[in-house]
Amino acid sequence: MTDTDLGAFRTETRAWLEANCPTEMRDGIRDEETICWGGRNWQFTSDAQKTWLEVMAAKGWTVPTWPVEYGGAGLDRAHDKVLQEELDAIGARWPLQSFGIWMLGPALLAFGSHEQKLQYLPPIARGEVRWCQGYSEPGAGSDLASVQTKAASDGDHYVVNGQKVWTSYADKADCIFALVRTDPDAKKHLGISFLLIDMDTAGVSTKPIRLISGSSPFCETFFDDVRVPKSNVVGTEHRGWDVAKHLLTHEREMISGGGAGLLGTRSLGAVLAEHDGGMDAITRAEALQCEVDQLAIGLTLERYKDQAETGGGVGDASAMLKYEGTELNKRRHELLMSAGGADALEWEGTHAGLAADWLRTKANSIEGGTSEVMLSIISRRILGLPG
């Protein structure tokens, strides 16, 4: 690859985006309402949103680094970075956000059979199926390997019974990737399998969980004698912990974004000014520090992605990125609340959503692994400190 090759790709990409990205899709991601999650029952908010997803999926650019045969464009890291830069340059919304893209996809690429990849990855890339994650249970959160949801063998099927909790968007998802115990007699890390389950299967039900913010994406998910084909196991039976760990590095990498995506292409300073009409010197300095820290974590993430180009994810460094991203997200929303003053406490009206978003950031310290667990991983596996 030469600079000339990348330059030509940049020119072609810029021209294609100019011709194909609808004007309405060039205002960045501002809130939940501007995100396209896809799925069997997804209702597009506009014709422009639908068109943008369709043209990007046809190009393979919803998952640009995935192989072409699985719905991607087969881009290497250098070309992918050019694409991201050109999308950012026009303030383009990302056409599709998906746990299938961020988490299940990388796990399937690493552990799935060729048949599973062909079956599941292209629909994810086209936004046709929405996935949720079935990891945490009432008695297995930070100690995830203690999962007790059972999958009993019954011919060429499993019969699944148990409960998951904090299942984000389970009430809207089409399918769930879940950790289930297939060998109850094995040590806790060794008797777990990684299983794909259709949410429309008889015996699957969900119940929303209301949070301090007033609402939330979280749900409880219940399995009552749910029959699932054994062909839906990803990787080796009883060795789902290997798949789970790989997926977690990608989940933590995703969470490490620090909430910047909801600000679109605007700086934190610009968003603060919208709510305050001007900032005092202290608030301005804190906003600038957040912006610098956001750039630093972004560059760090890019460095680790470059090192992990072979597809192994960012590894243990994902704990560091997730922890820093979590803390940064909380700081950014604290600033937004401070700048909004008493108005920021509104639940309806001009400033509606600020307080709810601020309260929601508290969950960042728990989801994807608690901050305490992240610090433990950093100390033991990155810094090499004694236990």
Side-chain angles (χ1 to χ4, degrees):
M1 177 192 357
T2 65
D3 291 341
T4 302
D5 295 332
L6 282 178
F9 177 73
R10 185 181 296 277
T11 299
E12 294 169 3
T13 298
R14 187 173 297 172
W16 189 90
L17 291 175
E18 185 60 39
N20 289 278
C21 183
T23 302
E24 302 94 315
M25 295 293 105
R26 302 188 188 194
D27 59 353
I29 298 294
R30 289 176 174 262
D31 51 43
E32 181 75 19
E33 298 303 315
T34 60
I35 294 175
C36 177
W37 288 99
R40 296 172 190 159
N41 302 310
W42 179 254
Q43 298 294 316
F44 290 99
T45 58
S46 66
D47 290 339
Q49 188 186 65
K50 182 175 186 290
T51 297
W52 183 222
L53 172 57
E54 290 175 345
V55 297
M56 284 290 277
K59 190 79 170 174
W61 281 0
T62 56
V63 285
T65 60
W66 289 11
V68 174
E69 63 180 325
Y70 302 140
L75 300 187
D76 60 20
R77 276 282 297 145
H79 286 81
D80 180 44
K81 284 195 281 189
V82 169
L83 172 60
Q84 307 307 318
E85 289 167 359
E86 292 303 315
L87 286 165
D88 290 343
I90 63 171
R93 298 185 194 175
W94 195 244
L96 177 66
Q97 300 203 35
S98 165
F99 293 163
I101 291 175
W102 299 326
M103 294 186 278
L104 178 60
L108 282 172
L109 287 169
F111 293 92
S113 66
H114 179 60
E115 292 74 22
Q116 287 174 330
K117 293 173 186 177
L118 287 175
Q119 178 179 356
Y120 294 111
L121 292 178
I124 290 173
R126 295 190 296 265
E128 296 171 354
V129 178
R130 185 171 181 176
W131 288 84
C132 62
Q133 179 188 31
Y135 271 28
S136 295
E137 296 181 4
S142 296
D143 185 15
L144 184 60
S146 293
V147 294
Q148 294 301 311
T149 295
K150 294 179 174 60
S153 178
D154 184 16
D156 58 359
H157 283 70
Y158 292 112
V159 179
V160 181
N161 283 279
Q163 177 188 357
K164 297 294 179 178
V165 73
W166 310 119
T167 319
S168 298
Y169 302 107
D171 55 339
K172 297 179 175 62
D174 305 307
C175 300
I176 184 171
F177 48 93
L179 295 182
V180 297
R181 190 159 296 283
T182 47
D183 184 354
D185 298 322
K187 291 183 179 180
K188 63 181 186 178
H189 289 84
L190 302 179
I192 296 171
S193 294
F194 189 99
L195 191 62
L196 308 180
I197 305 173
D198 193 310
M199 296 290 282
D200 287 337
T201 307
V204 180
S205 61
T206 63
K207 179 182 178 182
I209 299 172
R210 186 177 175 88
L211 293 188
I212 189 176
S213 59
S215 63
S216 86
F218 298 123
C219 297
E220 294 177 279
T221 304
F222 303 92
F223 304 96
D224 298 297
D225 292 330
V226 178
R227 294 184 62 83
V228 184
K230 288 185 175 179
S231 59
N232 286 20
V233 169
V234 177
T236 304
E237 185 183 43
H238 311 321
R239 293 300 303 270
W241 189 247
D242 297 334
V243 186
K245 289 190 299 181
H246 180 87
L247 185 146
L248 280 171
T249 65
H250 290 276
E251 179 184 9
R252 290 164 182 166
E253 177 186 320
M254 176 264 294
I255 296 173
S256 73
L262 293 180
L263 301 180
T265 56
R266 300 168 296 164
S267 69
L268 177 59
V271 177
L272 286 169
E274 290 178 8
H275 293 289
D276 184 48
M279 291 180 285
D280 58 56
I282 294 176
T283 303
R284 186 180 298 110
E286 291 176 345
L288 287 171
Q289 185 61 59
C290 278
E291 292 298 293
V292 170
D293 291 345
Q294 181 65 49
L295 289 171
I297 193 173
L299 291 171
T300 303
L301 177 58
E302 288 300 310
R303 185 174 75 250
Y304 279 113
K305 283 184 177 180
D306 287 341
Q307 294 174 2
E309 191 172 358
T310 55
V314 300
D316 292 334
S318 64
M320 177 178 65
L321 295 165
K322 192 268 181 181
Y323 177 79
E324 181 59 25
T326 290
E327 296 305 310
L328 179 60
N329 195 30
K330 290 192 290 187
R331 286 168 52 202
R332 293 160 74 89
H333 282 81
E334 290 281 355
L335 277 172
L336 288 169
M337 289 295 290
S338 297
D343 290 341
L345 299 177
E346 292 181 8
W347 288 86
E348 296 179 358
T350 306
H351 296 84
L354 271 180
D357 290 344
W358 166 62
L359 290 169
R360 173 62 179 84
T361 65
K362 308 307 178 183
N364 294 156
S365 300
I366 301 171
E367 58 197 352
T370 66
S371 291
E372 290 77 13
V373 169
M374 296 303 100
L375 290 172
S376 177
I377 293 173
I378 292 167
S379 64
R380 290 185 289 109
R381 301 181 188 172
I382 297 178
L383 300 178
L385 298 177

